[in-house]
Amino acid sequence: MDIAIDCRWITSDSGGIRYYTLNLIKHLALADRANKYILIYDTAAARDEITAYTGNPANFRCVRFEYPLFSLKTQYKLPSLLNKLKVDIFHSTYFI
């Protein structure tokens, strides 16, 4: 199964969402080698933090999505990206 996780909140001052997302990907990287994970990020700092938390296992890959979090473009570009990536599940840790 291909699972996309929106990790764009980890470099913002989002408190619980930041720590939830980081711990989610950390423990998925430790526990699950069967599924493929696509971690969506927006900045190089986010990518670096993702890699630090996951250790970059073979079933994880990072995909950059550069549109601002609350922009109108996010609302129509993100679904297009998810369709292009052919994900089975998209997990957003925020209410976009």
Side-chain angles (χ1 to χ4, degrees):
M1 187 174 290
D2 291 353
I3 302 166
I5 301 173
D6 190 350
C7 296
R8 295 177 297 152
W9 302 96
I10 65 171
T11 54
S12 69
D13 189 19
S14 59
I17 295 168
R18 170 186 160 70
Y19 295 107
Y20 166 77
T21 305
L22 288 172
N23 282 293
L24 174 67
I25 61 176
K26 176 182 177 179
H27 289 91
L28 286 171
L30 292 170
D32 186 4
R33 298 285 188 228
N35 293 300
K36 295 177 186 172
Y37 293 94
I38 301 164
L39 306 178
I40 299 170
Y41 72 96
D42 55 355
T43 64
R47 184 198 60 229
D48 293 345
E49 197 154 5
I50 289 166
T51 302
Y53 263 74
T54 63
N56 207 20
N59 62 326
F60 278 64
R61 74 177 170 133
C62 294
V63 173
R64 188 165 191 174
F65 183 75
E66 298 177 355
Y67 299 99
L69 290 169
F70 293 108
S71 72
L72 183 58
K73 283 188 176 183
T74 291
Q75 297 299 313
Y76 68 89
K77 293 282 189 178
L78 186 58
S80 295
L81 174 66
L82 297 172
N83 284 330
K84 180 181 173 185
L85 296 171
K86 298 182 180 182
V87 300
D88 298 305
I89 296 172
F90 172 62
H91 179 51
S92 176
T93 56
Y94 203 72
F95 62 88
I96 61 164

